[in-house]
Each structure stands twice: as C-alpha cells, then as structure tokens.
C-alpha cells in the first residue's frame, strides 16, 4: 500500500499499519475526539450494503453520490471495500495520489460537490491483495474515519464489501449515528437469500434500513425495447415488503451502465435523461426526502 505523505510516499502493507500504530500510540484517546469531531461535521452518513458481490453495489454507491452532488449537496464517497475497491475505476480516478498534511489525509476531489476516498488510492499497485484480519481492518477503518479531512459535508456515502463482515460491524461501533443503509440486491433467490441476512444484520446492530434497491431488474432490449427478465423481477420488492423495510425502486439491466462504468463515468453523468437515470434520480429524491424528514 502506498500513500503520498507530505511529498513523500511509503509503500507496502506496512504503511497503513505503521501510520495507524504511530497514530494510536502518539494520540491515544485524542483519536476518539478526532473521530467524533470529523464525523460531527457530516450531517448524514449512509452505508451501501449487499449480500453478494457483483450485484451493482458500488455502481449504486457511486451514482447515489454523484446524484446528491448534482442536487447541490456537499457529498463524500468513502470506499471501504478493502478487498475489491471499485470506486476509483467507476469514477476514472485510478492512480490519483492522496496527499497528507499534519491534519490528515486529503480526499480526492471528483468535482466541486464530490470528494472521494478509497483504499484503492492507497494501494501501491492496484493489483495488490489486501490480506488483513478483522482487528486490523477495524483499526484501518477507524483511522480512515479519523484522518480523512472531509470538512463539512451534507452526505457521506460509504461503499462496503458484500456481506456482513468486519467492515459494517466496525462502522456500527464507530459511528453510532449513521442514518441508515441502502441495500442492493438483484431479483433472483440466490441474491435475495443473502440480502435477508444483511437486513437481519442491520436490525441486530441497530442500523436503520433506508431501503432496498433491486438492480439488474429486467433487461431492456436495445433493438425492440421489450423487457427480458434475465434474473426474474420483483423479488426485491416482495422480500422488502415481507421483511417490513422500505423498497426504493428498480434499476433495469442496461448495457449503457456497463459502458459508463468501464469508461469511469457515472451513468447519472452520461445519460441524464435515460429511463435508468430518471428512475435513479427519483430514488435519490425519495431517499433525501426520508432522511431530511427523518422518516
Ligand atoms: P458490486 O459492487 O456489487 O460488486 P459493481 O457495482 O462493481 O457490483 O457492478 C458489477 C458489474 O455490473 C459492473 O460491471 C457494472 O457496470 C455492472 N452493472 C451494475 N449495475 C448494472 C445494471 N443495472 N445494468 C448493467 N450492468 C450493471
């Protein structure tokens, strides 16, 4: 792992670890104050979770963040998918250096409304594998929360690895006032089975479920505009209803989303008037409405 620190850079997995150790030894209890102070400047904190990988969780996280920024909210996007950070690729920010000063790490500015921090920026080689046990992940997570200089934000969107592992558990312990979680699923049972676990997890650690998004819900044929239900359809909504959590909406499977993701441009930016973008925009409005009214 490497990070640029005041003009120098350090490499290998030791960077985060040693910085973290120095930090905790030198500052001890001050770290908790720092974490509280940094998080206190962020009005709303939202987790993006999924039961399985590959269901479009990072795509949703990136597009929710972009959409909020377009709506005029000061937004941060924190990629804590340590093992597969996709946000730098989705926003074409790969290889961006992260600068550090005495007050902490500077997030990368995607545009004036959106700041980004990802484990992907801190890896010396994007193909490096992060092999950390739970306690170390917890410490790195804490360090990221303490040290990233977001400043005042309206929203912090946090993209988590799939499942109910150490990362979301750490956040539940470190930030007791998160607004809640968006849970992304695809419609087929295999994904829904795992997403139910994510919802139970949220209930257990007292993270409100803001809503379920059913992604890849039907494929719109680019030739005839007919809809093909590749992974079935409606399973996410039925499951949300049965579990008593809100359903935010559906995103169809759309080859333009893959194109946009591979090009590092959020589809909310490339296709603002496409059916998908309009539907997505509605979901984000619904989310903002719920959060601002605290319902
Ligand atoms: P996850 O974070 O759940 O692992 P990603 O967001 O990385 O999933 O998405 C996995 C792949 O699926 C990416 O190539 C992305 O472009 C594609 N994808 C996501 N949502 C859609 C969609 N609605 N239609 C088509 N492709 C999608």
């Amino acid at each position: 792992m490497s990070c640029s620190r005041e003009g120098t850079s350090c490499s290998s997995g030791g960077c985060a670890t040693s910085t973290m150790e120095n930090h905790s030894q030198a500052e001890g209890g001050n770290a908790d104050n720092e974490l509280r102070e940094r998080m206190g400047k962020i009005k709303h904190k939202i987790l993006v979770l999924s039961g399985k990988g590959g269901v479009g969780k990072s795509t949703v996280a990136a597009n929710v963040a972009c959409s909020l920024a377009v709506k005029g909210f000061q937004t941060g996007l924190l990629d804590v998918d340590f093992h597969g950070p996709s946000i730098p690729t989705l926003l074409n920010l790969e290889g961006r250096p992260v600068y550090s000063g005495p007050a902490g790490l500077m997030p990368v500015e995607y545009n004036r409304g959106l700041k980004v921090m990802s484990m992907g920026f801190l890896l010396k080689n994007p193909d490096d594998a992060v092999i950390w046990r739970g306690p170390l992940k917890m410490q790195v997570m804490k360090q990221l929360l303490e040290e990233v200089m977001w400043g005042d934000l309206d929203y912090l969107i946090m993209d988590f690895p799939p499942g109910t592992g150490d990362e979301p558990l750490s956040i539940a312990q470190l930030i007791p006032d998160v607004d809640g979680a968006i849970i992304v699923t695809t419609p087929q049972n295999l994904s829904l089975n795992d997403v139910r676990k994510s919802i139970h997890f949220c209930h257990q650690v007292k993270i409100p479920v803001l809503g379920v998004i059913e992604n890849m819900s039907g494929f719109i044929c680019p030739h005839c505009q007919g809809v093909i239900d590749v992974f079935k359809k409606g399973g996410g909504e039925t499951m949300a209803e049965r579990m008593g959590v809100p359903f935010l909406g559906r995103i169809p499977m759309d080859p333009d989303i893959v194109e946009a993701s591979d090009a590092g441009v959020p589809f909310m930016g490339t296709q603002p008037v496409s059916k998908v973008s309009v539907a997505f925009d509605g979901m984000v409005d619904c989310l903002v409405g719920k959060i601002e009214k605290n319902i």
Side-chain angles (χ1 to χ4, degrees), residues 50 52-60 81 86 90 159 162 215-217 251-255 257-259 261-262:
S50 69
K52 276 207 183 304
V55 298
K57 170 188 50 61
S58 299
T59 306
V60 166
D81 194 341
S86 314
L90 288 171
D159 180 24
N215 190 28
M216 306 194 195
S217 179
I251 306 172
M253 238 182 172
D254 185 340
I257 295 183
V258 182
E259 285 296 325
S261 301
D262 283 359

Side-chain angles (χ1 to χ4, degrees), residues 178-204:
V178 288
D179 290 74
I182 298 171
I183 302 194
V184 184
T185 184
T186 48
Q188 72 273 43
N189 286 343
L190 212 60
S191 175
L192 293 170
N193 289 343
D194 284 342
V195 104
R196 274 193 282 272
K197 290 181 196 156
S198 301
I199 293 175
H200 282 303
F201 168 83
C202 287
H203 292 334
Q204 275 174 299

Side-chain angles (χ1 to χ4, degrees), residues 34 59-60 73 77 89 109 122 138-139 163 200 209 225 256 265:
E34 209 169 315
T59 306
V60 166
F73 295 108
L77 176 58
T89 308
E109 285 218 8
L122 305 175
M138 168 88 167
Q139 275 180 297
H200 282 303
V209 175
Q225 303 302 311
D256 285 346
V265 186

Side-chain angles (χ1 to χ4, degrees), residues 4-144:
S4 303
R5 306 186 67 83
E6 289 171 334
T8 61
S9 71
C10 51
S11 62
S12 93
C15 176
T17 324
S18 56
T19 309
M20 181 182 58
E21 281 164 0
N22 295 342
H23 184 277
S24 56
Q25 281 164 14
E27 301 191 17
N30 286 345
D32 288 344
N33 292 339
E34 209 169 315
L35 191 147
R36 260 194 299 276
E37 201 182 310
R38 293 245 200 251
M39 291 298 114
K41 291 183 173 176
I42 303 172
K43 285 189 201 149
H44 302 295
K45 297 134 194 139
I46 297 175
L47 285 64
V48 183
L49 304 176
S50 69
K52 276 207 183 304
V55 298
K57 170 188 50 61
S58 299
T59 306
V60 166
N63 281 281
V64 167
C66 287
S67 181
L68 287 167
V70 168
K71 290 177 192 299
F73 295 108
Q74 285 300 315
T75 306
L77 176 58
L78 178 61
D79 179 5
V80 283
D81 194 341
F82 293 147
H83 301 287
S86 314
I87 296 296
T89 308
L90 288 171
L91 298 180
N92 197 18
L93 294 173
E94 281 169 311
R96 287 293 178 96
V98 169
Y99 296 100
S100 168
L105 293 169
M106 286 294 289
V108 171
E109 285 218 8
Y110 179 70
N111 58 30
R112 280 186 58 198
L114 179 58
K115 295 173 183 170
V116 183
M117 179 53 71
S118 168
M119 202 60 217
F121 297 143
L122 305 175
L123 295 170
K124 187 177 182 194
N125 176 345
D127 295 331
D128 280 350
V130 168
I131 307 168
W132 290 338
R133 288 185 193 279
L136 183 51
K137 280 192 211 167
M138 168 88 167
Q139 275 180 297
V140 174
M141 179 84 73
K142 188 161 184 267
Q143 189 190 355
L144 272 178

Side-chain angles (χ1 to χ4, degrees), residues 71 280-290:
K71 290 177 192 299
F280 198 80
D281 198 51
M283 276 186 243
V284 175
D285 282 340
C286 169
L287 190 71
V288 169
K290 274 170 189 277

